[in-house]
Amino acid sequence: MLGKSQSRDLAKWTSIAVTVAAFAKVFVPFYLIGSTLIFSASVAIGCGLIAMSWRRAFAAAGNITEIIVALGLFYTAIIINFLTHSLPLVPVTHLLGILIFHALFMIFGFAAARAVVWVLWTLAAAGAVYLMFIAQHVVRFGDLMRDGFIHDVFGVGESAVYLTFHQNIGTVLCLAALAALGLSSNRTARVLAFCALPLVLLFMFHIAARGALVALVCSLLFLVAAPLWVRSRKQVAFGVIAVVIVAGVTSSWFYQQALGDKAVDPNAGDAISRTIREIQDPRPGFRIQIWARTAARILAEPDRLLFGRGVGMFPVNDGFGAPDWLLRKAEGSKHYPHNLHLELLYETGIVGLLLFCIITLFPVAAAISRWSLFSSAERSAIALYVFNLAGTALSGAFAYSYSLLFFFGLTVGIIAMRRLENPAIPDRRVRNA
């Protein structure tokens, strides 16, 4: 039987190991020294540490039976969909990859909930490493966005690789910024963390990390709205409706203006200029064109709205071949609708999309209802989940949504522990912040 001190140490190292595993394949410095080896080692270490204290790690799992049932229904629907629609054209390893790695990262996140602070410290450390790479590049070569495109900040040496690092850099820095909010232990640190946020937003705009920029704004709005919801649900509801309307009208206006904008600088690399050029560019590889093409196909076949076209069928129908799993990605794995909800509607239909929405929105609703019970670190962790959930509307593929699933598991684990500690407080009755 582990003592309290040993249990805390085990929880700490478990959180660090599983967080490293969750980001090993996308953390660029690991790519330079062997991300697959680091991923495999961190997964093995994480699994070993969880096995050493699995009873304690999952003691609260009985308090989230509704989400466990919903997950079972969702992945059962995924299996049936694959077997009935995809099996002749998509290798079964794609389905196995979804089931194995999705379960793995959700378990990792759930186990990490016992030491949330160390998840945040790991993310903050990753952001600090990125800042050091960026700083040394600026000192040596100047602006990393000179000439309108991102330069080789990490010394990768392959333009086809480093020219796509906008979103990667943006995501890591945004996660680190949100982690810093949760790690702020006093007023001075909290003020510094909040002061850094506008700088992070400006940097995201500068490097055109549009997905990370929008996701960070959404997570910050969530941090503002959550405590207000406990006090006045009507005000927050009206505020959310107002934000959605303003965002919709503004997006529509911007799209119409962009179509006729002839003065956009062809060499500007900021988020607005890049978006305008993509709106005007008819080539099918850009995100807006992919969205339009996917939506058109969905509407053109209403008989497939209910159950979709099959898991993994988007790249097949798009002419790029079938996808495969994480450790053996095929060409088709690189092609997806860049909108997780649109992808699920296309491949799994209304049934799959509805189940997915229920599952992913549950932690947000449950967290808001118990907001007063969470520590600053736990609130930051929940905001990290909102960040990843919002980011799926602009990027990400369902089969490879590992960071989303990790933070989903982390948030569900936090909620489960709070339910275990306060069983007499129903979610819907927590009113006071």
Side-chain angles (χ1 to χ4, degrees):
M1 188 71 178
L2 294 173
K4 288 186 178 181
S5 178
Q6 290 177 312
S7 179
R8 283 195 298 269
D9 288 341
L10 192 57
K12 164 187 169 180
W13 290 111
T14 299
S15 292
I16 293 173
V18 297
T19 306
V20 169
F23 292 93
K25 296 295 290 183
V26 296
F27 188 63
V28 180
F30 287 171
Y31 170 84
L32 300 174
I33 59 178
S35 60
T36 299
L37 178 61
I38 295 172
F39 170 75
S40 301
S42 56
V43 166
I45 293 171
C47 290
L49 292 173
I50 291 173
M52 291 173 64
S53 60
W54 69 271
R55 290 183 184 277
R56 189 182 294 269
F58 295 97
N63 293 280
I64 51 164
T65 53
E66 68 270 52
I67 196 63
I68 293 175
V69 171
L71 284 169
L73 290 173
F74 176 65
Y75 284 100
T76 298
I78 292 295
I79 294 171
I80 294 173
N81 179 283
F82 182 89
L83 295 177
T84 56
H85 291 77
S86 310
L87 189 56
L89 297 174
V90 180
V92 72
T93 48
H94 181 65
L95 174 64
L96 293 176
I98 291 172
L99 300 177
I100 293 170
F101 288 109
H102 282 206
L104 179 68
F105 285 108
M106 282 189 280
I107 290 171
F108 277 0
F110 192 89
R114 293 178 60 224
V116 175
V117 169
W118 289 102
V119 175
L120 302 185
W121 275 116
T122 306
L123 295 175
V129 171
Y130 268 45
L131 285 177
M132 287 189 289
F133 272 97
I134 292 169
Q136 67 85 26
H137 181 88
V138 171
V139 170
R140 294 177 61 192
F141 305 107
D143 184 9
L144 71 163
M145 287 296 293
R146 60 192 181 277
D147 307 319
F149 61 90
I150 196 164
H151 285 256
D152 195 3
V153 176
F154 298 99
V156 173
E158 298 180 31
S159 60
V161 176
Y162 68 73
L163 286 175
T164 65
F165 279 162
H166 302 263
Q167 185 68 10
N168 182 286
I169 293 173
T171 298
V172 172
L173 293 182
C174 288
L175 292 177
L178 290 171
L181 291 178
L183 293 171
S184 304
S185 56
N186 55 60
R187 182 175 296 179
T188 301
R190 196 170 297 113
V191 169
L192 291 174
F194 274 103
C195 289
L197 289 173
L199 299 177
V200 174
L201 290 167
L202 285 173
F203 187 71
M204 297 304 101
F205 178 82
H206 179 61
I207 67 172
R210 294 164 294 178
L213 176 62
V214 173
L216 180 58
V217 170
C218 291
S219 59
L220 294 176
L221 289 175
F222 170 78
L223 285 175
V224 172
L228 294 177
W229 175 266
V230 178
R231 294 185 176 91
S232 177
R233 296 186 177 186
K234 289 183 179 179
Q235 290 183 8
V236 174
F238 284 129
V240 170
I241 293 171
V243 168
V244 171
I245 292 174
V246 170
V249 171
T250 303
S251 299
S252 177
W253 174 84
F254 176 78
Y255 183 81
Q256 294 302 321
Q257 293 296 312
L259 287 174
D261 188 354
K262 304 300 181 184
V264 61
D265 185 350
N267 295 318
D270 62 88
I272 292 179
S273 299
R274 187 178 177 191
T275 302
I276 291 174
R277 290 199 300 270
E278 289 187 7
I279 289 174
Q280 295 176 350
D281 198 320
R283 286 179 292 178
F286 288 113
R287 191 167 308 185
I288 294 175
Q289 283 71 24
I290 294 174
W291 291 347
R293 186 169 68 252
T294 305
R297 289 180 179 175
I298 292 172
L299 295 174
E301 299 178 287
D303 57 313
R304 296 191 176 187
L305 269 175
L306 190 59
F307 299 108
R309 294 151 184 79
V311 175
M313 288 300 295
F314 178 83
V316 174
N317 295 339
D318 228 21
F320 293 100
D324 215 322
W325 68 330
L326 173 67
L327 300 181
R328 194 176 61 199
K329 284 188 178 180
E331 181 64 25
S333 303
K334 303 174 184 177
H335 299 275
Y336 45 90
H338 290 276
N339 182 307
L340 198 54
H341 298 84
L342 197 61
E343 179 183 358
L344 284 169
L345 182 60
Y346 181 91
E347 294 189 348
T348 66
I350 294 173
V351 172
L353 177 60
L354 181 61
L355 287 170
F356 178 79
C357 289
I358 292 171
I359 290 168
T360 53
L361 292 178
F362 165 81
V364 177
I368 290 176
S369 66
R370 288 183 171 244
W371 194 251
S372 62
L373 302 179
F374 300 127
S375 66
S376 59
E378 290 169 335
R379 292 177 182 182
S380 179
I382 296 166
L384 289 167
Y385 171 64
V386 174
F387 173 89
N388 281 270
L389 186 60
T392 62
L394 297 172
S395 189
F398 170 65
Y400 312 107
S401 55
Y402 304 133
S403 61
L404 172 67
L405 296 168
F406 174 78
F407 286 112
F408 169 82
L410 180 65
T411 303
V412 170
I414 291 169
I415 293 167
M417 288 195 302
R418 288 292 172 248
R419 285 183 173 181
L420 181 65
E421 295 168 2
N422 302 276
I425 306 177
D427 288 342
R428 64 182 180 276
R429 292 186 183 176
V430 179
R431 297 284 185 177
N432 300 318

